[in-house]
Amino acid sequence: MESTFSSPAEAALQREAGVPGLLTPLPDLDRVYELERVAGFVRDLGCERVALQFPDQLLGDAVAVAAQLEETTGSKMFILGDTAYSSCCVDVLGAEQAGAQALVHFGPACLSPPARPLPVTFVLGHRSVALELCVKAFETQNPDPKAPVVLLSEPACAHALEALATLLRPRYLDLLVSSPAFPLPVGSLSPEPKPLERFGRRFPLAPGKCLEEYGAFYVGGSEASSDLDLDPDLSRLLLGWAPGRPFSSCCPDTGKTQDEGARAARLRARRQYLVERTRDARVVGLLAGTLGVAQHREALAHLRNLTQAAGKRSYVLALGRPTPAKLANFPEMDVFVLLACPLGALSPQLSGNFFRPIVAPCELEASCNPAWPPPGLAPYLTHYADLLPGSPFHVPLPPPESELWETPDVSLITGELRPPPAWKSSNDPGSLAVTPRPQLELAESSPAASFLSSRSWQGLEPRLGQTPVTEAVSGRRGIAIAYEDEGNS
C-alpha cells in the first residue's frame, strides 16, 4: 500500500540530487575548472567569502575544487549545489544568503545579467574537440569558399573555435567566429565599436554586414540527439536563425555532421502551434521562473498588461522549477507562460508530460499583440528583455481605437472565429471585473471562478457563521477496524 500510493520517508533522505557524473582526476582539475584563473579573480577582488555554484552533474568535483581554491587563495568557499530555478542562471540570492562577496559559476550558463550587482566569473568547461575531423566536416558542409559562415559551439567547446578558425581561414574568405557574451564587470566601459550580441554570444560583424546573411556551423552535441533531448542552447539558435540560411552541426568527438534544417522547421512549427493555443486560451498562468535575472519584475508586469489587453485573465504562480505534478494542481489554466532565462524558458517545452502547454514570453507577445511582429524581425526572440520598452525589438500595443483589434481572427485549431478582445485602459473605471446583480450583490467575472463552479467537487464548504459552536469532547480511540469502545466483536 505504501509503495503504491506514496513513498516511504527514508526515500527522501536517500534520493540523489541528480546525475553526479564522472569525477575529474585530480591532475586535470586545474585545467578543467580553470582554477588558476579563478584564484586570480578572487585575489584581485580581495574577497574573503566566495560562493561556488555547480550544476548537479558537477557536484562530485565540488569539494575538491573548493578545497584547492581555499588553499590557494585563503578565502572561505561556499558550495551552492541546488538552485530554486535553472542551474544555468547565476544564483545571486543564494550567494547573498551565504554572505559571499563574489560568485564563480561552473558549467553551462545562459549568461543572463543578474538582478543584483555581484562580481561573477564563469567557467564553461573544456570539452575536447577533434580539430582535424571538424575541419573535414566543415569543408564537406560548405564547399563554396566565398559563402559567409559563422562558427558556433556549445559553451564547453567555445575555447576551440579560434583554433578551428585558424585552420579554415586560408581557404574561406568570410568566416566569422562567435564568442560567449560574458557580462561586463560593474563599472567597466563597453568596447567601441560594440559587437552585436545575440543568442548569448558576440558576433564581430564587419561594417555593412548583418547576421542574417550568414550560414551557421555548430560544434557540439552528440551523434544520437533527437528533438526530445535537444539542448536548449541549440534550440534557441535553430529558432532564431534566419530560415533561409544553412545550419549544420558537428559532433566534436567524431566529426559527424547533421543538417539541422528539418529539425529547425519542426521547432518553428511547434512554436506556431503554441501561439495558436495561446490565442485560444482564456486563462493564462504566469510562472515566475526566475528571481535572479535582471528586469524580471518589469517583464512580469509587461506580460500581465498583454493578457489584460487581449481580454484574458492571468494568474501569477511562484512554484520554483515547473514539474507536471505541480502544474496539475491548476487545471483551470489553459496555458502556462514561463518567465525565465532564454535557456530555462525552452527547457520544459519539448517534454510531453505536461497536461497544458508551456509557452515562452515571445509566444504570448505574438498571440496577444496584434502589431507583432515588426517587419524584418528574426523569427523568434529568446529573451524576455527583448520585448520590454527600450529594446530595439519592442513593439507597443496599438491604441484601443486601432483597427488591428477588430481584424477577424479564426482559430487554426478549432476553426472557430475568435471574438475581438474588449480592450480597455486600466484607468477606465468601466474596466473593473465586477458586475452588479439585481440583488445588489457583486460577483467577480472570472474564468477561473466559472471553471471552479463547474467542477463536481469544489473542496470543503466552510459555512462560516452557520455551524453552531459546541464543546470539544474526547473522540474514539484505536484504529478504524477495532476501536476500543467496540469490544472484541
Side-chain angles (χ1 to χ4, degrees):
M1 181 73 68
E2 183 181 26
S3 61
T4 302
F5 296 101
S6 63
S7 302
E10 293 79 5
L13 301 178
Q14 299 173 0
R15 186 183 303 121
E16 295 182 358
V19 181
L22 299 177
L23 296 180
T24 304
L26 290 180
D28 298 336
L29 209 64
D30 191 4
R31 176 184 61 84
V32 174
Y33 291 96
E34 305 179 28
L35 298 185
E36 183 177 353
R37 181 176 68 84
V38 173
F41 167 78
V42 175
R43 284 194 294 263
D44 292 342
L45 294 175
C47 301
E48 299 179 358
R49 302 165 69 90
V50 181
L52 308 178
Q53 182 178 346
F54 293 86
D56 288 346
Q57 65 269 21
L58 298 181
L59 280 177
D61 295 331
V63 175
V65 171
Q68 191 163 339
L69 286 176
E70 283 188 348
E71 181 180 357
T72 305
T73 63
S75 304
K76 184 67 175 177
M77 302 292 166
F78 295 86
I79 298 175
L80 304 178
D82 193 17
T83 57
Y85 302 101
S86 178
S87 60
C88 64
C89 300
V90 176
D91 190 7
V92 291
L93 301 180
E96 289 183 353
Q97 291 177 357
Q101 300 165 321
L103 187 145
V104 183
H105 186 283
F106 297 93
C110 60
L111 302 180
S112 301
R116 304 184 185 183
L118 183 71
V120 180
T121 188
F122 295 88
V123 179
L124 301 179
H126 282 73
R127 182 179 176 182
S128 60
V129 178
L131 293 178
E132 296 297 334
L133 296 178
C134 292
V135 168
K136 295 180 180 179
F138 185 93
E139 293 174 348
T140 303
Q141 293 293 325
N142 301 275
D144 185 7
K146 298 181 180 180
V149 184
V150 177
L151 286 180
L152 304 165
S153 74
E154 66 178 41
C157 298
H159 64 93
L161 288 187
E162 279 295 341
L164 180 60
T166 303
L167 299 176
L168 293 172
R169 281 198 176 101
R171 179 182 176 187
Y172 291 89
L173 304 179
D174 195 354
L175 188 64
L176 190 65
V177 182
S178 65
S179 60
F182 294 113
L184 297 176
V186 179
S188 61
L189 298 177
S190 59
E192 294 293 342
K194 188 177 181 181
L196 174 68
E197 289 190 12
R198 197 175 295 179
F199 313 115
R201 295 165 172 85
R202 292 192 176 98
F203 300 91
L205 290 170
K209 290 283 188 176
C210 62
L211 193 60
E212 287 73 15
E213 301 175 358
Y214 285 79
F217 185 81
Y218 180 85
V219 180
S222 60
E223 294 185 6
S225 61
S226 61
D227 291 345
L228 294 179
D229 56 2
L230 192 63
D231 183 75
D233 181 61
L234 181 56
S235 296
R236 68 169 172 172
L237 286 171
L238 294 178
L239 287 169
W241 209 259
R245 304 306 302 166
F247 196 112
S248 58
S249 63
C250 173
C251 178
D253 303 321
T254 63
K256 183 178 179 180
T257 59
Q258 180 177 356
D259 187 2
E260 300 290 350
R263 188 150 55 178
R266 289 194 295 269
L267 288 175
R268 295 190 185 102
R270 172 69 177 172
R271 301 276 77 76
Q272 293 298 326
Y273 168 76
L274 292 178
V275 169
E276 289 297 315
R277 288 289 301 267
T278 309
R279 286 172 178 166
D280 291 339
R282 298 176 60 230
V283 185
V284 179
L286 303 179
L287 300 177
T290 180
L291 295 178
V293 180
Q295 294 184 297
H296 67 276
R297 295 180 183 272
E298 294 84 351
L300 184 59
H302 176 71
L303 298 183
R304 296 186 68 178
N305 188 32
L306 277 177
T307 55
Q308 180 185 4
K312 306 179 187 298
R313 182 61 59 89
S314 63
Y315 297 88
V316 180
L317 306 174
L319 306 175
R321 295 182 183 179
T323 61
K326 290 179 182 179
L327 302 188
N329 294 314
F330 305 94
E332 62 271 17
M333 304 297 171
D334 296 324
V335 295
F336 293 95
V337 181
L338 181 57
L339 181 66
C341 69
L343 299 185
L346 295 175
S347 297
Q349 296 191 13
L350 297 177
S351 174
N353 298 327
F354 294 92
F355 83 110
R356 290 287 189 268
I358 299 181
V359 304
C362 180
E363 280 114 30
L364 183 66
E365 182 84 28
S367 62
C368 296
N369 189 351
W372 181 270
L377 183 64
Y380 191 85
L381 295 176
T382 56
H383 192 19
Y384 59 76
D386 295 331
L387 308 175
L388 301 180
S391 169
F393 306 114
H394 171 68
V395 179
L397 286 170
E401 61 275 6
S402 174
E403 297 180 355
L404 294 175
W405 296 104
E406 303 296 334
T407 303
D409 188 16
V410 178
S411 172
L412 299 180
I413 298 178
T414 64
E416 299 178 355
L417 182 66
R418 298 191 186 101
W423 199 99
K424 293 185 179 181
S425 174
S426 58
N427 298 326
D428 186 0
S431 64
L432 298 179
V434 293
T435 55
R437 289 184 178 179
Q439 294 85 2
L440 298 181
E441 298 179 359
L442 293 180
E444 183 179 5
S445 177
S446 170
S450 302
F451 179 86
L452 180 63
S453 63
S454 64
R455 297 177 63 176
S456 59
W457 188 81
Q458 302 177 10
L460 301 178
E461 187 176 1
R463 300 180 61 86
L464 299 177
Q466 303 179 24
T467 304
V469 179
T470 58
E471 184 179 356
V473 296
S474 300
R476 307 176 75 178
R477 299 173 59 88
I479 59 178
I481 61 174
Y483 288 108
E484 293 180 358
D485 58 348
E486 291 182 345
N488 296 328
S489 60

